[in-house]
Amino acid sequence: MRTHLKWPALLPVFTSFLFTCLSAPTIMAQAPEVFRLDGGRSTYAFGVNERGELQTLYWGASLGPRDKIPLAHSLPEWASFDSSYTNTPQEYSGWGGGLFTEPALKVAFADGNRDLVLHFVDANPNGPQSLEILLKDISREVYVRLRYSMDSETGILARSASIENREKQPILLEQVAAAQWTLPPARYLLSYLTGRWAGEWTLDQEPIHAGARVIESRRGSTGHQANPWFAISRDSSQEVVGPITADEEYGEVWFGALAWSGSWRITVEQTQLDSVRLTGGFNPFDFGYKLNPGERLETPLFYGGYSDHGLGGASRLLHHFELAQVLPHAPAPRPRPVIYNSWEATEFKVDEAGQMALAEKAASIGVDRFVMDDGWFGQRKDDHAGLGDWYVNPAKFPHGLKPLIDKVHALGMDFGLWVEPEMVNPDSDLYRKHPDWVLHFPGRPRSEQRNQIVLNLARNDVRDYVEAFLDKLLTENDIAFLKWDYNRNWSEPGWDQVPADEQRRVYVEFVRHLYAILADLRRKHPTIEIESCSGGGGRVDLGILRFTDEVWPSDNTDPFDRLTIQDGFTYAYTPQIMMAWVTDSPHWLDGRTTSLTYRMLSSMQGSLGIGANLNRWTAADFAAAKRLVAVYHAVQATIVHGNLYRLISPRNNSPFSSTETVSPEENQAVVFAFTHSTQEGRRFPLLQLQGLNPDAQYKLGWIEGKAEAGTPEVASGRWWMNHGLRLDLRGDFQAAAFRLDRQP
Ligand code: DGJ
C-alpha cells in the first residue's frame, strides 16, 4: 500500500548537511526513514514507523551532530480501549482508525466514508533548510503535503500542510490543522494570552491536566479574547528566584504561534498516556471546506520553537525571528517613526485647520509622522455613517488632503491616514448601492456592531472595490502610512453568491483576499507602511505581520494599564511593532492621573507615539516631551531591536515593574522601572541586570530618576548583573529610566 522513500536519491542531499556546525540549519536523514532538522539551539526529529505513519520522535535542545535517533516504533495498545493508532504521536493524524485524540485532518467523502488514515509516501528536500513530506490515505486519493522549514538562527520551525483531492468526487474538509506538536509525558505549565477590548494581552498560566484546553477565535478574525500563541514550560510555578519567576529566565520552554488572521484554534491536550499534543490551524467550528477534484487547500503556517532560557529566552527568539524573517522589511526593518495620532484629541471632529494646528505642535516636539485618524471621509460625523465611502469629506477638507499633507511635509514629518476598508455603515452610499456586499444570510437580520456591517471580502467584486479605492487613495495622495482598522467581529457569516456547500469557504477566502490586497498594495506602493489595528489588538498574529509593519496593541492607553498590556504583548511579539501612545491625564478609561514623565516612559518601552490633545499642553509639557522624544530617538534601536529582559513583571498586582533591553552587540542597555504604589517603606527591589558582556565596562546615564547613594558611574557588566543597583524610586505612579553605554 505504501510507497517507500527513494533513499539513494535523497541521501546525498541529506548527508551533505550531516557535519555542518550546529548554528547552520541542517536536515539529516538516517536510513531508514528518520528525519532530523537542526537550527539555533534545537533539534526536531520525526520518522516513519513500521505501519507507515509519520511519528514525532524528538523536539528540544540540540542533540549531537553524530547522535542517532532511535527509529520510530508505534506505541502499543493500552488494554483494549486505547488503540496503538490513538496512542502513537503522529506528525499529522487523520481522523480514522480509532483516533480519540485531536485529529489534524477530518474528511467526509461523497459516499459517506469518513475514515482517513495517512501513510508516508515520500520525502523531498526543498532547499537546505526545508523538507516536504507527502502522505496519502491508505486507499483514497487524498494527499497531504507537509512542509517543514527550520530557521538557522533561532531554530524556529515553520510547518504547514497542503491538502489535495485527487478523488473523482468532491470531498468535505471538516477539520484542517496546520501542524501538530508532541511533548513527552511530564508536568508542564501552559502560558497563553487572553483579553478583551481595552484589556488585551493578559498572560494566563495554568498547569496542563488531563483533557483539553482550547484557545481559539470563532470571530472571523484573530480576536482580542485570545491570541494564537502558546508557551509550555516545565512546571516550576512554585519556584521563585529573586524578582524573576523560575520559568521567566530559566528552564525549558516550547512555544508556538499560528500565522492566521481568521478564525483559528489551538488545542492543547494531555492524552490518555500523559503526553502533550498541540493541534492548531483553521478553527473547525462552523468550518467545512469543499475541495473539488484537483483542488488543494493550503493551511497557514504554524511556527514552533524551543528555548532553554525560559519564557524570556522564548520571547527573545520570537522577537528576533519576527524582525529577521516575518516583517515586510525583514531582515532589517527600520525602527518605527515617532508618530502623532489625532484620535484621542479630536475623535471624529477632524478638519483642515484643526489638524494643521496639531501638526505644528507635534513637529515642535520632534515627531516624525503625523497620522490623521477616523472622520476625514464620506459623511462621517460619528460612527453612524460614512464607512465605505472613501472620498474626502468636502466640508472638512474643501481642497482635499493636499494642503494638510503639504503642511505636514513642510514641518518635516511624513503623513499617515486611518482607513477601515472591510467595513460599511448601512448609512453610506456604498451600502445603498450594494446591500448584497455584506456578510449575511438572506432573509435574516444583519446584526450591526458600532453601527457597521462586515463587507464580504471573500467576494471578488468586494475585493476589487477595496483594493481599487486604496490604490487610488495612495496614488493620488502622498501618504506614507495607513492605519488599517477593523472594528467588529463577524455575525451571520453567509455568502449567498456561491452554492450552499461552498459558502463556508468564507472563513478561508476572506483572509486570503485580505492578505492579497495588502500584498498588492505593497507591490504597487513599495514605500507604504501599514499598521494592523482592530479596535486595539484584535488582529495581531504572524499572518498579518507578513504584510504590516506595526500593530496597535490596545485602545487602552492608560500608562499604568499599558505596563501589563505591554508585558503580555512582548511574550509573543517584538517591541518594534508595539505602538505606544502618550495620551491625556486623567485618563478617559480609568480616570487615573499620572505625570507626563510617567506616561512618556511607559510608552518608550515600545515604539513611541503621542496621542494627547496638544492644544491643552503647557510650555513645560512641550519641553519635557521634546527632551524625552530626543532621548528616545537616541536609544530607540536598542529598545526595539535589542534583547528584552522582563526583570520585574507588573503582573499579579505587583507594586513594581522593570524591563531591560540590551543591544544585539551588547554595547548598550536601556532600563525602565515603575512603581505602582510603594507601601510600608519598601524599597524598589534590587535590579540585577541581564545580558551584558560581563567583562566590558558600562557607564550609567540617567534618562529620568536616580539610584541610591553609592552606585558607581562606571562598572563592569558583572557588577551590573551580579551586584546590581537600587533605584531611589518611591511613591505612586513613579517612573525611572537609565542607559548603560559600553566604554571603549
Ligand atoms: C479604533 C482604534 O483602535 C482607535 O485607535 C481609533 O482609530 C478608532 N477605532 C477610530 O474609529
Side-chain angles (χ1 to χ4, degrees):
M1 203 62 69
R2 158 180 142 218
T3 314
H4 277 272
L5 173 67
K6 297 163 201 78
W7 280 105
L10 285 170
L11 264 176
V13 186
F14 288 153
T15 49
S16 67
F17 297 103
L18 196 61
F19 300 115
T20 52
C21 67
L22 270 183
S23 65
T26 58
I27 302 166
M28 294 184 268
Q30 237 174 257
E33 300 164 356
V34 171
F35 303 93
R36 168 176 168 173
L37 296 107
D38 286 281
R41 294 156 64 91
S42 70
T43 297
Y44 190 89
F46 53 90
V48 184
N49 67 23
E50 64 282 359
R51 279 199 297 263
E53 297 148 6
L54 202 63
Q55 183 174 336
T56 309
L57 294 176
Y58 180 80
W59 184 24
S62 297
L63 303 178
R66 292 160 201 264
D67 289 339
K68 285 237 173 330
I69 294 171
L71 301 180
H73 286 298
S74 56
L75 272 65
E77 182 176 286
W78 182 249
S80 53
F81 294 95
D82 289 305
S83 68
S84 169
Y85 187 72
T86 204
N87 293 339
T88 300
Q90 290 187 57
E91 281 286 285
Y92 198 86
S93 55
W95 186 77
L99 183 84
F100 301 117
T101 53
E102 192 70 26
L105 183 61
K106 187 171 185 311
V107 173
F109 291 87
D111 62 358
N113 168 44
R114 301 188 310 286
D115 183 65
L116 185 81
V117 175
L118 296 169
H119 278 191
F120 176 81
V121 177
D122 66 20
N124 284 294
N126 191 10
Q129 313 178 29
S130 310
L131 178 64
E132 278 193 9
I133 302 282
L134 188 65
L135 308 176
K136 181 191 170 299
D137 178 63
I138 50 175
S139 70
R140 301 286 172 114
E141 293 295 308
V142 173
Y143 289 80
V144 176
R145 195 170 295 279
L146 301 181
R147 300 199 174 98
Y148 295 80
S149 180
M150 177 72 102
D151 176 47
S152 59
E153 291 286 314
T154 59
I156 290 178
L157 180 60
R159 294 180 55 187
S160 65
S162 167
I163 322 300
E164 186 181 353
N165 177 18
R166 294 192 206 160
E167 290 275 285
K168 295 201 164 47
Q169 301 287 324
I171 60 174
L172 184 67
L173 307 182
E174 297 181 337
Q175 189 161 338
V176 188
Q180 296 186 295
W181 310 85
T182 303
L183 292 171
R187 288 184 60 209
Y188 295 106
L189 187 76
L190 172 68
S191 302
Y192 56 107
L193 292 162
T194 60
R196 61 195 162 97
W197 176 80
E200 303 89 335
W201 309 109
T202 301
L203 185 76
D204 286 303
Q205 296 189 298
E206 64 196 27
I208 297 179
H209 295 302
R213 151 66 71 189
V214 171
I215 47 176
E216 65 171 349
S217 163
R218 299 180 175 191
R219 296 164 175 267
S221 74
T222 325
H224 299 73
Q225 283 67 24
N227 192 265
W229 168 89
F230 72 86
I232 292 180
S233 34
R234 291 264 189 230
D235 190 352
S236 53
S237 52
Q238 303 312 312
E239 298 167 38
V240 175
V241 182
I244 303 170
T245 55
D247 50 352
E248 176 65 24
E249 284 300 330
Y250 309 105
E252 295 192 288
V253 173
W254 295 261
F255 59 93
L258 197 56
W260 185 240
S261 312
S263 291
W264 58 272
R265 189 169 91 176
I266 297 175
T267 304
V268 184
E269 56 183 336
Q270 183 179 303
T271 70
Q272 65 288 350
L273 295 188
D274 302 331
S275 64
V276 169
R277 297 269 291 159
L278 286 116
T279 305
F282 299 121
N283 194 325
F285 180 82
D286 197 38
F287 192 79
Y289 198 99
K290 181 182 165 202
L291 209 55
N292 292 309
E295 282 186 337
R296 285 184 191 175
L297 175 64
E298 305 281 338
T299 73
L301 290 164
F302 196 179
Y303 297 102
Y306 167 83
S307 154
D308 51 7
H309 280 82
L311 287 164
S315 38
R316 287 189 290 278
L317 289 174
L318 267 171
H319 297 172
H320 184 78
F321 182 72
E322 289 154 7
L323 291 167
Q325 300 289 338
V326 178
L327 290 169
H329 291 286
R334 65 177 180 134
R336 305 285 65 228
V338 172
I339 65 146
Y340 177 79
N341 180 291
S342 63
W343 172 246
E344 289 199 23
T346 58
E347 295 204 338
F348 301 96
K349 294 188 212 70
V350 294
D351 61 26
E352 190 177 286
Q355 293 293 301
M356 284 186 177
L358 285 169
E360 279 176 10
K361 294 183 168 105
S364 78
I365 52 175
V367 161
D368 306 307
R369 170 172 288 168
F370 182 85
V371 183
M372 179 162 65
D373 211 281
D374 198 348
W376 59 270
F377 55 90
Q379 296 306 308
R380 187 81 163 161
K381 295 186 185 62
D382 53 30
D383 60 18
H384 285 78
L387 284 175
D389 298 341
W390 297 103
Y391 60 87
V392 180
N393 182 295
K396 298 179 180 185
F397 296 91
H399 313 291
L401 295 177
K402 191 167 187 317
L404 174 61
I405 295 176
D406 288 348
K407 171 87 177 175
V408 166
H409 288 166
L411 288 165
M413 301 180 290
D414 67 22
F415 181 78
L417 193 64
W418 180 96
V419 287
E420 191 173 5
E422 299 141 278
M423 299 288 169
V424 66
N425 288 119
D427 185 0
S428 67
D429 295 341
L430 184 71
Y431 188 74
R432 284 183 279 273
K433 196 166 164 202
H434 297 291
D436 55 324
W437 273 15
V438 297
L439 292 176
H440 71 285
F441 294 116
R444 305 288 304 170
R446 299 166 175 210
S447 301
E448 294 174 25
Q449 285 156 28
R450 207 196 193 205
N451 311 300
Q452 62 195 57
I453 314 181
V454 185
L455 287 171
N456 184 359
L457 205 60
R459 290 173 60 129
N460 291 333
D461 46 6
V462 174
R463 186 213 122 113
D464 292 347
Y465 168 79
V466 167
E467 185 165 328
F469 94 71
L470 287 166
D471 185 27
K472 184 164 181 286
L473 193 63
L474 296 181
T475 304
E476 292 177 354
N477 299 283
D478 194 348
I479 294 171
F481 169 80
L482 288 176
K483 173 177 172 179
W484 185 303
D485 210 342
Y486 183 85
N487 277 303
R488 62 159 290 181
N489 296 133
W490 292 11
S491 57
E492 300 103 14
W495 179 10
D496 64 339
Q497 205 191 21
V498 297
D501 61 357
E502 290 182 13
Q503 291 190 11
R504 293 179 198 212
R505 282 185 178 219
V506 70
Y507 286 104
V508 176
E509 309 309 345
F510 186 111
V511 183
R512 295 235 182 280
H513 277 175
L514 168 65
Y515 291 164
I517 293 169
L518 287 163
D520 283 354
L521 288 176
R522 295 197 80 106
R523 203 177 49 249
K524 290 183 195 156
H525 306 275
T527 58
I528 191 70
E529 295 187 333
I530 303 173
E531 175 179 284
S532 174
C533 171
S534 173
R539 193 153 64 187
V540 183
D541 58 78
L542 294 185
I544 202 85
L545 283 175
R546 290 214 166 272
F547 308 101
T548 55
D549 305 85
E550 60 184 54
V551 303
W552 183 225
S554 180
D555 275 350
N556 185 346
T557 54
D558 175 275
F560 174 63
D561 285 3
R562 270 283 173 143
L563 297 180
T564 332
I565 286 170
Q566 293 173 179
D567 174 78
F569 184 94
T570 61
Y571 279 89
Y573 302 105
T574 162
Q576 159 84 5
I577 64 164
M578 182 173 78
M579 300 310 290
W581 306 345
V582 173
T583 57
D584 289 319
S585 174
H587 193 262
W588 57 268
L589 185 63
D590 291 323
R592 182 176 293 114
T593 301
T594 50
S595 69
L596 182 59
T597 301
Y598 183 90
R599 283 176 270 149
M600 289 289 298
L601 296 193
S602 170
S603 293
M604 284 164 65
Q605 288 184 304
S607 285
L608 176 65
I610 310 287
N613 188 345
L614 299 179
N615 297 323
R616 298 201 196 118
W617 274 22
T618 63
D621 291 337
F622 279 105
K626 184 175 180 178
R627 180 181 81 79
L628 286 170
V629 168
V631 168
Y632 180 75
H633 273 135
V635 294
Q636 182 181 6
T638 296
I639 295 170
V640 299
H641 292 165
N643 289 315
L644 175 70
Y645 297 89
R646 291 175 289 257
L647 299 179
I648 305 174
S649 167
R651 278 179 280 125
N652 304 323
N653 300 318
S654 166
F656 310 105
S657 70
S658 179
T659 60
E660 175 200 4
T661 321
V662 183
S663 66
E665 311 76 27
E666 298 168 354
N667 288 336
Q668 186 177 66
V670 182
V671 177
F672 294 95
F674 303 87
T675 66
H676 168 195
S677 194
T678 45
Q679 287 185 296
E680 299 163 354
R682 288 203 181 90
R683 296 154 76 200
F684 198 91
L686 178 70
L687 276 186
Q688 289 170 297
L689 304 190
Q690 308 230 12
L692 301 174
N693 182 324
D695 299 320
Q697 296 289 310
Y698 291 90
K699 181 169 183 213
L700 175 64
W702 285 99
I703 295 171
E704 195 65 47
K706 59 179 187 217
E708 288 189 355
T711 304
E713 203 187 333
V714 177
S716 68
R718 279 178 212 286
W719 197 94
W720 299 113
M721 293 192 290
N722 299 334
H723 182 281
L725 76 163
R726 279 195 173 271
L727 302 181
D728 181 3
L729 190 62
R730 289 171 294 155
D732 298 342
F733 304 114
Q734 298 298 310
F738 62 88
R739 54 193 276 185
L740 290 177
D741 290 288
R742 187 174 174 156
Q743 299 302 286

